[in-house]
Amino acid sequence: DAQHTSYNGGLGLYNRPFNESFEETPLLVAVLTYMGYGILTIFGYLRDFLRDWKIERCHIAREREEQRDFVPLYQDFENFYTRNLYMRIRDSWNRPICSVPGAKVDLVERVSHDYNWTFDYTGRVVGGVINMGSYNYLGFAENTGYCAEAAAEVTMKYGVGVASTRQEMGNLDRHEEMEALVAKFLGVESAIAFGMGFATNSMNIPALSGKGCLILSDELNHASLVLGARLSGSTIRVFKHNNMQSLEKMLRDAIVHGQPRTHRPWKKILILVEGIYSMEGSIVRLPEVIALKKRFGAYLYLDEAHSIGALGPAGRGVVDYFGLDPRDVDVMMGTFTKSFGAAGGYIGGRRELIDYLRVHSHSAVYATSMSPPVVEQIITSMKCIMGEDGTTLGRERVKRLAENTVYFRRKMTEMGFIIYGNSDSPVVPMMLYLPAKIGAFGREMLKRNIGVVVVGFPATPIIESRARFCISAAHTKDMLDTALCVISEVGDLLQVKYSRHRRLPSLDRAFDHSIYDEIQD
C-alpha cells in the first residue's frame, strides 16, 4: 500500500543508511481531490459567466474588449485558476512579517472584506509565532550575536551598496576573502559568488552548455535550473526523480545514438541534480550519480541550495553527507540565502572553470557586486560552521539540526501523517491533497500561533498539495513539541492523517534523548 525505497549500502556505494519514503496517495483521497477540483472548476465557470454578464464584479486583469482580436496577453487557464481557486485561499501566502525570521516571528495582522482580493492592515502585530516555514536551517537569521555585529561594523566602513560590477570598480577585498573561504569550505580549487541565488543557476548554465550539448535534468529540479537549461539552447531530456535506472538509460541512449538526425556525438553531456529537493524533501543519490557520470563520461552540476550547511557531519552539504570527494562533482553550486542567513549564490570547482565563468557568465560580468554587509554575514557564518571563529557553536548547530530533523520526522510519521522524503532531510513535506485543506490548514495553524507554509499548484502537481515544514537548529525541544501538538490537533480537526501505517502514541512522551544516540551510531 506504500512505495518505500531504502538502500543500506547494498551497491557498495553508500557508507550510511539511505532511507526515503513516498507513501502512495490513498485511492479515496485521490478521488475526493479530483472531485474537489472538479466542483471548484464548475463553480469557477459559473462565476465567470456571471462576470461576463456584469452580475458579479471582476477584479483581476482581463483582455480589453477592443483587443479581443489581438494575440491574448493573459493565459486563459492560469488566469482562470488565479481568479477562482487561488484567490479563495490567497490569505495563506505573502503574509508580511515585521521581525527577524528566526525560530519565532512577528506577523502584521491583516483582514480582507472582499474575499482576499484586497487586504486591510489592522495595525496589530501577532507576536511570538513559531516559525516552521523559513529556510533558516542553522539559525543564522538573527539580529544579535557575532555575525550581526560584524555585518554592522562592515556597513559603517564600506556602506551598503557597491554601485559597480566586479570587473569595474566593485571588486572589494571582502569579496576576494569570501570566495577563498567558500573554496576552502567546499574543498575545491576555486569559487565565484553572485548576488542572486536564482541567477546563479539561470545565468551560468548557458555559459557552460550550448547548442550541440545534452542536458539531463531531474524532473523535479528547481525553476532556476529549468530556466538555465532552456536559455542555454541545449537539448534537454528529463529523467524520473532520483531514478538511476532512468538516468542510466538516457545516458546510454545519448552515447549510442548521439545527436538527432546527424548522429554525431554530443559535444557535452551535463547532468543537473539538486542536493535536497525543496518540495519533496528527498536527497539526491549522489554516489550512484557520480558512478554513472564517470562511466559515461558526463559532467555533473550539483545544486546545493538547500543541502549546503544543512547536511553532513561538518555541514558541508550532500558531498560531506555521503563522504565523497568534492573533486568528483564538476560544478558545485549553492546559495547563501538559507543556511548562512544571507543572500546570493556561489559556484565552486576547478580553477579553470571558475576563471572561465568570471569572463563568460552574464551574472558575473553584468551584475552589480554583492553588498558588503551581506558578504560579511557569509564570511562570519561560514567561519562559525568551520570552527574558525574559535568556538564549537557552528558544529553544535549542525548537530542540533540533525537531531531536530530526525525527531520531528519520526513524531510526524508516528502521528499518522503522510511525510515525503529522506529521514535526514530538514525539509519535511506533509501531504494535504484536497484543495479546501490548503487554506484551512494554514489558517488553523496560525490561529494556534504556528506559522507554516502551504503549497499547491503550480509549485506542486495539481493533486499533490502539501504543507512544508523547515526544521531549524534554532528550534528548541519545547518549540518542536508545541508545534507537534498543534499539528496533531489540526490534523485531527481536518482529518489529514492519511497514512495507512500503524500509528504509535508519541505526544504523551517527553523529548526522546535516545534519538541523539541513534545519530551518533
Side-chain angles (χ1 to χ4, degrees):
D1 71 322
Q3 174 197 352
H4 275 272
T5 54
S6 176
Y7 280 88
N8 200 7
L11 295 173
L13 298 172
Y14 292 86
N15 62 357
R16 59 181 300 137
F18 186 81
N19 302 307
E20 288 192 350
S21 66
F22 296 91
E23 188 173 335
E24 290 178 2
T25 309
L27 182 60
L28 178 62
V29 175
V31 171
L32 290 172
T33 303
Y34 280 117
M35 283 177 61
Y37 277 108
I39 291 165
L40 283 168
T41 303
I42 290 166
F43 274 88
Y45 278 115
L46 175 63
R47 298 185 73 176
D48 276 357
F49 175 78
L50 296 174
R51 289 176 186 129
D52 284 339
W53 285 88
K54 306 291 191 291
I55 298 169
E56 181 179 329
R57 187 181 173 192
C58 184
H59 300 264
I60 208 161
R62 303 182 75 182
E63 300 295 341
R64 291 163 61 184
E65 287 295 330
E66 54 267 35
Q67 291 181 321
R68 285 286 169 157
D69 296 330
F70 285 37
V71 175
L73 185 61
Y74 307 106
Q75 293 185 23
D76 193 52
F77 175 71
E78 288 186 11
N79 218 8
F80 177 88
Y81 176 84
T82 305
R83 269 196 314 271
N84 299 303
L85 282 78
Y86 169 70
M87 277 297 166
R88 305 287 290 273
I89 51 176
R90 192 164 76 104
D91 58 303
S92 297
W93 291 283
N94 308 317
R95 290 183 180 132
I97 69 169
C98 54
S99 69
V100 175
K104 290 190 175 181
V105 70
D106 295 339
L107 287 163
V108 179
E109 188 180 67
R110 61 182 183 177
V111 294
S112 178
H113 303 290
D114 54 4
Y115 304 101
N116 295 337
W117 288 99
T118 60
F119 291 105
D120 294 323
Y121 296 96
T122 63
R124 289 185 60 243
V125 171
V126 183
V129 176
I130 295 177
N131 181 6
M132 300 298 293
S134 296
Y135 308 127
N136 183 27
Y137 297 127
L138 293 181
F140 282 113
E142 51 195 1
N143 57 1
T144 57
Y146 174 62
C147 294
E149 289 167 8
E153 193 176 314
V154 163
T155 304
M156 298 304 292
K157 180 180 178 182
Y158 290 89
V160 175
V162 182
S164 182
T165 65
R166 289 286 296 276
Q167 293 193 352
E168 293 167 349
M169 295 289 291
N171 192 27
L172 304 179
D173 55 348
R174 308 305 287 168
H175 290 131
E176 300 279 351
E177 182 185 341
M178 172 186 63
E179 288 177 344
L181 187 67
V182 170
K184 182 180 177 183
F185 181 66
L186 297 174
V188 295
E189 291 178 12
S190 187
I192 181 171
F194 307 93
M196 180 182 178
F198 191 99
T200 305
N201 278 332
S202 61
M203 293 289 100
N204 283 292
I205 294 171
L208 298 171
S209 183
K211 195 173 181 183
C213 300
L214 175 66
I215 290 177
L216 300 179
S217 177
D218 190 290
E219 66 178 346
L220 296 180
N221 273 343
H222 189 261
S224 59
L225 289 166
V226 174
L227 180 62
R230 288 176 178 169
L231 290 174
S232 72
S234 307
T235 301
I236 305 166
R237 291 177 186 163
V238 179
F239 62 91
K240 291 178 182 173
H241 175 55
N242 235 356
N243 187 315
M244 296 302 106
Q245 290 76 25
S246 174
L247 176 58
E248 183 178 357
K249 183 179 185 303
M250 286 191 178
L251 282 165
R252 186 179 284 111
D253 288 348
I255 299 296
V256 170
H257 299 297
Q259 297 184 41
R261 293 190 299 278
T262 64
H263 298 292
R264 290 175 182 167
W266 295 100
K267 292 179 183 176
K268 191 186 298 174
I269 300 174
L270 183 64
I271 302 168
L272 300 185
V273 293
E274 293 186 45
I276 292 177
Y277 291 84
S278 61
M279 285 297 166
E280 306 301 307
S282 51
I283 296 174
V284 66
R285 298 178 179 278
L286 192 59
E288 294 176 70
V289 175
I290 287 175
L292 286 172
K293 166 204 111 111
K294 289 180 175 177
R295 183 172 154 199
F296 290 100
Y299 294 98
L300 176 58
Y301 185 109
L302 174 64
D303 177 346
E304 290 217 81
H306 287 268
S307 54
I308 193 70
L311 282 181
R316 300 188 185 198
V318 72
V319 176
D320 181 33
Y321 175 77
F322 286 114
L324 300 170
D325 188 344
R327 290 172 294 185
D328 288 335
V329 179
D330 301 288
V331 186
M332 295 185 73
M333 177 269 170
T335 61
F336 302 121
T337 52
K338 300 169 181 72
S339 293
F340 304 99
Y346 66 82
I347 284 181
R350 292 176 60 197
R351 194 171 305 281
E352 296 91 336
L353 167 74
I354 303 305
D355 290 345
Y356 173 84
L357 287 175
R358 286 192 199 281
V359 179
H360 292 88
S361 165
H362 281 59
S363 49
V365 177
Y366 298 110
T368 303
S369 300
M370 292 176 73
S371 177
V374 172
V375 172
E376 191 64 22
Q377 170 71 22
I378 295 163
I379 292 171
T380 50
S381 58
M382 195 170 284
K383 282 184 175 178
C384 181
I385 296 168
M386 295 167 74
E388 290 190 7
D389 62 340
T391 70
T392 58
L393 181 65
R395 188 61 64 95
E396 286 166 10
R397 290 190 185 204
V398 172
K399 181 172 178 283
R400 195 179 315 127
L401 174 64
E403 292 163 351
N404 286 352
T405 296
V406 175
Y407 175 72
F408 187 85
R409 277 185 166 272
R410 194 182 73 183
K411 293 288 188 183
M412 290 290 287
T413 305
E414 287 175 0
M415 287 190 289
F417 295 104
I418 293 182
I419 300 298
Y420 273 10
N422 193 287
S423 55
D424 291 325
S425 167
V427 178
V428 187
M430 185 194 94
M431 304 311 293
L432 297 173
Y433 300 114
L434 279 75
K437 293 185 180 178
I438 303 172
F441 187 81
R443 290 168 191 148
E444 291 296 329
M445 292 294 287
L446 187 58
K447 279 182 193 173
R448 294 160 176 80
N449 240 35
I450 311 286
V452 301
V453 170
V454 286
V455 190
F457 176 82
T460 67
I462 201 159
I463 67 156
E464 290 190 12
S465 304
R466 62 196 68 177
R468 184 184 62 182
F469 305 102
C470 292
I471 308 305
S472 170
H475 289 139
T476 64
K477 293 177 271 188
D478 288 341
M479 284 182 198
L480 288 180
D481 281 335
T482 302
L484 285 162
C485 280
V486 171
I487 293 164
S488 182
E489 179 188 335
V490 175
D492 288 329
L493 177 70
L494 300 180
Q495 298 183 349
V496 291
K497 295 183 177 180
Y498 298 121
S499 180
R500 288 165 289 182
H501 294 158
R502 187 170 67 89
R503 302 176 194 175
L504 304 170
S506 60
L507 288 175
D508 54 343
R509 299 204 302 266
F511 191 89
D512 189 355
H513 287 274
S514 68
I515 207 73
Y516 300 157
D517 302 330
E518 292 168 21
I519 292 169
Q520 291 298 325
D521 295 342

